[in-house]
Amino acid sequence: MRKLILTVFIFINIITLAQRKSVLIFHSYHSGLEWTDNITKGIKKAFTSANDSIELYFEYLDRKRNLGDEYYAQLEKLYLIKTQNWDYDAIIACDNAALDFTLEHRETYFKNTPIIFCGINNYSDDLITNQKNITGIIEDPDFMATISLIKMNHPLVTDLHIINDNKTKTAIENKKVLEKIEKQFPYSLNFHYWENLSINEIANNLKELTYKDAVLLSTYNKDKDGNFISFKKNREFIPKDYSIPVYTTWKFFLYGSVIGGKIISGEDQGYRAGLKALQVVHGVNADSIPINKSSLSEYMFSYEMLKKFNINKRSIPKNSQILGEPQSFYTINKKIIFLIAIIFTATIIIILILTKAIIRTLNAEKSLMAKQKDLQKRYQFEKVNAKIVSLLNSTNDFTFVIDKILEEIAENYLIDKVSLYSLNNQARVENVIGSKTINNSSIRELNKDEYFHLERFIKIVNNEGLFISPDLSNLIAEEKKFYRSRVINAIALFPLKIGENMFGLAALAHHSPIKWSDEQINEITILIRLISNAWERNFQMNKHLKAEQKIAKASQMVSQASRMASIGVMASGITHEINQPLNALRVTVDSIKFWDKRNTGQIPEIVTNKFSTLSKGINRIDEIIKHMRSFWIAPTENDLFEQIDLTRAILNAYSLIERQIKEHHIKCTINIPPEELLVRANFIQVEQILINLVINAIQALDKTSIKNKSIDISIINHEDRAILMVSDNGTGIDSTIGDRLYDPFYSTKKEGTGLGLALVKTFVDRIKGNINYQNNNNGGVTFYITIFKANKLQAK
């Protein structure tokens, strides 16, 4: 049943993704302009019900601040590039500039996409002649109604001062409308246009007005010097407690000392346009949706200003919106009573539902925490496992790294001492291969004359597979005395075998009694088997090297390939082991989130937030696992010369090592072309090249004590090739080393494997590229990787 539900859930998600629509909101002006932002707010409100089925994209022409022909010409070039891959289901053109641009370039840029316009001044049908699949809403400021209000509410006013510029298209069109209205007041009202003034000049003029004057805020976005003036600055023209009546036709001016008027709302324009766009997206032809040609203005007033100018509510139109009006006692209490009734009716049901939901949530949280803890343990084990495998595969002689391996086991399982003994043909201890003590433990290693104390345990381990004594209670008296005299109160012994042949013994000792869990014993057993395999492999390898000294270098290369394959197998094993609990965790979290979506509000918000955080973490782990899998896939011969984007490969590789760079307190600078750069190479191997070079740089910088450690990653785009440069300000490279730096197993670091740069050289040679290096002026080294571009290499 669970599998069926999961399958249906996944199927629904796939259908939803396939049906997802996209809508372009094309603004005439810039983001941050109140009119623009209000339209955006209204559009988003209209699309709220669409959830994730429709994606909104925004473009801004910025024509308030940039009016020149040169700017317009550059816009045409820009959108010629940007629209190449555009495929929208509808376009909402906001204001005249955006609509003009869209119609002018509709066939070239927008592929006859349905258009919904809003905020259009001085609309006429000629504007969309011969256009199909188009509808919209006009922006028709009702200046006549607002001016009539001024005359009615302020009968002594004889002069109307209109703040309006003479540069922006909207302002110029507004003046044409006002000039027609002016003719209807030939004697009772004088019109004065403040349209070629600076901010200071407007402010000074306002101070000179008297009781016979009134102000109308129109469109003033450019001063006489062509500087852009925001709507916010327009409002600031009007001083606080200004005694002259000020009216407007736009909602964003309705603040401070502005009384009101017949108002156009950007949010309302956007909302209505959004509703029409929803119809279009759902299959309705735009031509069948009527264009709103009448004014959508509504009477709005400031309660504070009506009171200040003694304007009675009866003298303003009915159904006017009065902003800031105090609510009556009855209205307030009516809502409270209604809410109390609802709360009282639903209280018992809600309590029962919430109680049940909380219990389920707590149980689910406990289960998730347990699974998370188990996942963390598994991850920690896989991490130790991978590190031990890496150490074993980093050298021809595992005895060189055995102390590090034993230290990893001791620290991970909190064991005071871990020792490794080799056995002779009589199953007796021959010598100590490795031993590691942690936590400043006083436990010392056995002397040769004390090896006989292990003989009984060797027989038990050989027969039963292991021997565990968490408190020495299963030891004989003499053995207890011996171990306690050495401050040992817990031991665990594991065999090192190849088949049925036991050739070694791993011994764990602790100063106090300790209870090892079955899971820990199983994990330690796996790690001991890895050591057994490495021990046997080391024996066979040394035997082979002695017999075949003339082909030593060839054997080293075979060993290198074997170790790299082992790392790939282990990485695959790690991702497989992590994927099982990860998928279970993902299903649990997604199921709970799905249930919560269907039962909104029944799980506390803090819990749903935790689930969201957990879901993001799971997705991040899944991305890492997928990349680990692809990272170790050996490329075919054809894959070595596939066409790839070098910039994307470099950014992808950097995302994997970015955290490590930051943890080492290193500043990394990336300077790569913003455009696509196609080369002939293998994507994963290019990632490996960068990762190996950066890791070498990090290790070099760790040896220095400089404060400002840095790594620079750059790509130079030449005519027929690209050059990848990786620089650091670390220790540099000795000039006597030369090309030996790329030899397998050659390393300048004690802890180095000598494989990193050898692999880089191999990958570069495969794609017919070049690699070289030189010390730079910053004290470090710069590596240069030359990769031929796709068309150039193919031509060669």
Side-chain angles (χ1 to χ4, degrees):
M1 185 63 184
R2 291 181 178 177
K3 292 183 178 179
L4 177 61
I5 294 173
L6 178 60
T7 303
V8 172
F9 180 71
I10 293 173
F11 180 71
I12 291 173
N13 283 340
I14 292 173
I15 293 176
T16 301
L17 289 173
Q19 296 178 343
R20 182 170 289 171
K21 304 292 185 178
S22 59
V23 176
L24 173 64
I25 292 85
F26 204 22
H27 280 293
S28 296
Y29 312 130
H30 57 278
S31 177
L33 189 72
E34 286 180 89
W35 173 255
T36 300
D37 292 347
N38 286 339
I39 290 179
T40 296
K41 184 178 179 181
I43 292 172
K44 289 182 176 179
K45 181 180 177 182
F47 280 93
T48 300
S49 61
N51 296 325
D52 294 332
S53 63
I54 299 176
E55 293 187 84
L56 303 181
Y57 297 85
F58 295 86
E59 291 288 336
Y60 303 88
L61 288 178
D62 201 6
R63 294 296 282 169
K64 282 287 186 187
R65 299 183 295 190
N66 299 280
L67 296 174
D69 293 337
E70 182 179 355
Y71 175 78
Y72 192 85
Q74 293 301 320
L75 277 178
E76 291 180 325
K77 294 179 181 179
L78 173 64
Y79 282 102
L80 185 61
I81 298 172
K82 293 185 72 172
T83 58
Q84 289 180 358
N85 297 319
W86 279 7
D87 186 16
Y88 295 106
D89 296 283
I91 298 174
I92 300 178
C94 306
D95 295 288
N96 291 72
L99 180 60
D100 292 344
F101 189 90
T102 305
L103 294 180
E104 181 180 351
H105 303 287
R106 186 177 189 182
E107 185 175 348
T108 304
Y109 294 170
F110 304 105
K111 305 175 183 178
N112 296 318
T113 303
I115 297 173
I116 301 90
F117 57 79
C118 66
I120 303 303
N121 298 108
N122 297 306
Y123 172 83
S124 68
D125 291 334
D126 295 338
L127 187 64
I128 58 172
T129 301
N130 299 324
Q131 295 290 335
K132 294 182 178 180
N133 214 0
I134 186 169
T135 186
I137 302 158
I138 68 166
E139 176 193 346
D140 185 13
D142 198 338
F143 291 117
M144 184 63 189
T146 302
I147 294 172
S148 298
L149 279 173
I150 295 173
K151 287 298 297 178
M152 180 177 66
N153 294 331
H154 311 278
L156 298 179
V157 169
T158 58
D159 292 89
L160 179 63
H161 303 272
I162 303 167
I163 300 178
N164 191 68
D165 67 56
N166 60 353
K167 296 177 176 60
T168 61
K169 185 174 182 178
T170 301
I172 292 171
E173 294 299 328
N174 287 342
K175 185 178 179 182
K176 293 178 181 179
V177 175
L178 287 165
E179 286 176 338
K180 293 179 181 179
I181 295 173
E182 182 179 358
K183 296 177 182 179
Q184 300 183 41
F185 298 89
Y187 306 109
S188 61
L189 195 61
N190 300 313
F191 284 55
H192 305 277
Y193 297 94
W194 296 5
E195 56 183 5
N196 195 29
L197 303 174
S198 67
I199 293 176
N200 291 334
E201 288 173 337
I202 290 175
N204 291 332
N205 287 352
L206 288 170
K207 294 177 182 178
E208 301 298 325
L209 301 184
T210 67
Y211 69 93
K212 293 184 178 181
D213 299 298
V215 176
L216 177 63
L217 277 178
S218 185
T219 303
Y220 181 77
N221 290 125
K222 292 283 186 177
D223 67 6
K224 69 178 182 180
D225 298 319
N227 298 316
F228 175 73
I229 308 299
S230 69
F231 295 129
K232 182 178 179 181
K233 287 184 178 179
N234 273 247
R235 295 197 301 266
E236 292 173 352
F237 294 157
I238 314 301
K240 292 182 179 179
D241 300 326
Y242 192 52
S243 60
I244 304 301
V246 180
Y247 285 78
T248 186
T249 55
W250 281 277
K251 189 176 180 179
F252 48 72
F253 285 141
L254 194 55
Y255 300 95
S257 298
V258 178
I259 296 173
K262 196 168 186 186
I263 303 297
I264 290 177
S265 167
E267 183 175 348
D268 180 63
Q269 288 270 319
Y271 180 73
R272 292 173 184 267
L275 293 179
K276 291 180 183 290
L278 271 175
Q279 291 181 268
V280 172
V281 167
H282 289 143
V284 179
N285 188 285
D287 290 334
S288 67
I289 303 174
I291 297 174
N292 291 96
K293 297 181 180 180
S294 59
S295 174
L296 299 175
S297 303
E298 295 180 350
Y299 287 103
M300 295 185 190
F301 298 92
S302 165
Y303 175 80
E304 184 181 354
M305 291 299 105
L306 290 176
K307 188 175 179 181
K308 175 180 177 180
F309 285 91
N310 295 318
I311 301 174
N312 195 296
K313 287 174 61 175
R314 296 177 181 176
S315 62
I316 62 176
K318 292 182 179 180
N319 301 321
S320 297
Q321 293 187 40
I322 301 178
L323 306 182
E325 182 178 17
Q327 291 183 318
S328 67
F329 177 81
Y330 171 77
T331 303
I332 296 174
N333 284 277
K334 182 178 179 180
K335 291 181 179 180
I336 293 174
I337 293 170
F338 181 71
L339 288 174
I340 291 173
I342 294 176
I343 293 171
F344 181 79
T345 303
T347 297
I348 296 176
I349 299 174
I350 291 174
I351 290 174
L352 292 174
I353 294 173
L354 288 178
T355 301
K356 189 174 180 180
I358 290 171
I359 292 172
R360 284 200 302 266
T361 301
L362 291 175
N363 291 335
E365 188 174 1
K366 288 179 181 179
S367 176
L368 288 174
M369 293 298 291
K371 290 180 179 180
Q372 184 180 16
K373 188 176 181 180
D374 180 64
L375 181 61
Q376 289 173 342
K377 287 181 179 179
R378 286 176 177 268
Y379 173 75
Q380 181 62 26
F381 169 67
E382 296 294 351
K383 184 177 178 182
V384 173
N385 195 358
K387 190 166 185 179
I388 290 176
V389 171
S390 178
L391 287 169
L392 291 172
N393 286 303
S394 66
T395 175
N396 290 331
D397 190 345
F398 87 101
T399 59
F400 292 162
V401 295
I402 195 62
D403 284 347
K404 291 184 179 178
I405 292 173
L406 297 180
E407 183 177 4
E408 282 291 326
I409 295 174
E411 289 183 348
N412 189 63
Y413 296 100
L414 301 177
I415 304 166
D416 287 340
K417 187 174 183 62
V418 182
S419 301
L420 208 62
Y421 304 100
S422 64
L423 305 181
N424 57 25
N425 294 333
Q426 289 75 39
R428 294 179 179 177
V429 175
E430 187 174 33
N431 53 43
V432 180
I433 299 301
S435 182
K436 196 65 181 179
T437 303
I438 64 170
N439 300 328
N440 298 320
S441 175
S442 59
I443 301 175
R444 66 175 178 83
E445 187 53 62
L446 293 176
N447 297 322
K448 285 194 174 184
D449 57 357
E450 296 173 322
Y451 288 167
F452 72 91
H453 288 286
L454 295 173
E455 291 180 4
R456 186 176 79 90
F457 299 121
I458 292 172
K459 294 179 181 179
I460 296 174
V461 169
N462 191 32
N463 294 328
E464 299 183 7
L466 55 83
F467 178 80
I468 306 293
S469 182
D471 55 4
L472 305 185
S473 60
N474 54 347
L475 272 59
I476 61 178
E478 183 181 348
E479 291 169 341
K480 290 180 182 178
K481 182 178 179 181
F482 172 74
Y483 284 110
R484 284 173 179 166
S485 67
R486 305 171 65 81
V487 199
I488 296 175
N489 284 285
I491 60 173
L493 305 173
F494 300 83
L496 285 88
K497 286 186 173 183
I498 295 296
E500 296 298 323
N501 180 31
M502 179 176 171
F503 59 86
L505 182 72
L508 283 58
H510 200 66
H511 74 280
S512 61
I514 183 172
K515 176 64 175 178
W516 286 295
S517 66
D518 292 339
E519 184 179 8
Q520 289 175 323
I521 295 300
N522 291 335
E523 290 177 358
I524 294 173
T525 301
I526 292 172
L527 299 178
I528 298 302
R529 286 175 183 170
L530 287 175
I531 297 173
S532 297
N533 294 335
W535 194 332
E536 172 64 13
R537 186 177 64 199
N538 182 70
F539 173 78
Q540 295 295 338
M541 185 178 294
N542 289 335
K543 182 179 179 181
H544 178 74
L545 288 174
K546 289 178 182 179
E548 304 289 343
Q549 291 183 0
K550 292 183 179 180
I551 56 172
K553 186 173 182 178
S555 297
Q556 287 179 329
M557 294 304 292
V558 171
S559 175
Q560 172 191 343
S562 174
R563 286 194 298 276
M564 292 307 296
S566 296
I567 292 174
V569 171
M570 288 307 302
S572 177
I574 291 169
T575 59
H576 179 73
E577 288 300 324
I578 292 176
N579 254 333
Q580 291 180 2
L582 184 66
N583 286 333
L585 187 58
R586 184 202 307 278
V587 170
T588 301
V589 173
D590 288 348
S591 296
I592 294 172
K593 289 176 67 180
F594 179 74
W595 185 92
D596 178 58
K597 187 174 181 180
R598 294 288 301 272
N599 300 272
T600 304
Q602 295 192 15
I603 296 180
E605 185 179 359
I606 186 172
V607 176
T608 58
N609 290 339
K610 286 184 178 180
F611 283 141
S612 296
T613 301
L614 186 58
S615 181
K616 292 178 182 177
I618 292 169
N619 290 335
R620 178 57 181 157
I621 294 173
D622 189 52
E623 291 174 1
I624 293 171
I625 290 172
K626 289 178 181 176
H627 197 276
M628 285 180 68
R629 284 177 172 168
S630 63
F631 194 80
W632 287 106
I633 295 174
T636 64
E637 195 65 24
N638 292 332
D639 291 338
L640 294 176
F641 296 102
E642 63 185 355
Q643 181 173 284
I644 69 166
D645 180 8
L646 181 60
T647 58
R648 189 169 70 87
I650 296 306
L651 291 175
N652 207 40
Y654 175 74
S655 70
L656 295 177
I657 54 177
E658 181 179 10
R659 181 179 295 276
Q660 188 174 355
I661 293 172
K662 291 180 179 179
E663 287 177 352
H664 286 259
H665 306 292
I666 299 171
K667 179 182 179 182
C668 185
T669 303
I670 299 181
N671 184 17
I672 62 178
E675 68 277 4
E676 185 178 59
L677 181 55
L678 299 179
V679 297
R680 296 283 286 181
N682 177 261
F683 194 95
I684 297 299
Q685 290 188 352
V686 169
E687 290 184 326
Q688 290 175 291
I689 288 171
L690 179 66
I691 289 173
N692 277 306
L693 291 176
V694 172
I695 289 175
N696 275 1
I698 292 172
Q699 292 173 347
L701 288 167
D702 284 346
K703 294 181 179 180
T704 67
S705 58
I706 60 176
K707 293 183 178 179
N708 299 320
K709 299 179 181 181
S710 66
I711 296 175
D712 297 319
I713 302 171
S714 303
I715 294 178
I716 297 177
N717 186 0
H718 279 306
E719 181 178 353
D720 62 341
R721 68 198 68 191
I723 300 177
L724 170 63
M725 297 192 304
V726 180
S727 301
D728 63 69
N729 60 346
T731 58
I733 298 175
D734 191 339
S735 59
T736 61
I737 294 176
D739 288 339
R740 284 186 300 157
L741 191 67
Y742 307 117
D743 289 346
F745 309 108
Y746 178 86
S747 177
T748 60
K749 303 182 288 290
K750 291 182 179 180
E751 70 281 9
T753 63
L755 295 177
L757 289 176
L759 287 175
V760 171
K761 182 69 164 63
T762 300
F763 294 155
V764 172
D765 289 343
R766 284 180 180 175
I767 61 175
K768 300 181 181 180
N770 294 309
I771 179 172
N772 54 67
Y773 69 90
Q774 66 179 20
N775 290 332
N776 53 47
N777 296 331
N778 296 323
V781 65
T782 301
F783 280 88
Y784 302 86
I785 309 294
T786 302
I787 306 175
F788 286 96
K789 292 184 179 178
N791 56 341
K792 298 297 180 182
L793 186 58
Q794 199 169 25
K796 288 177 176 290

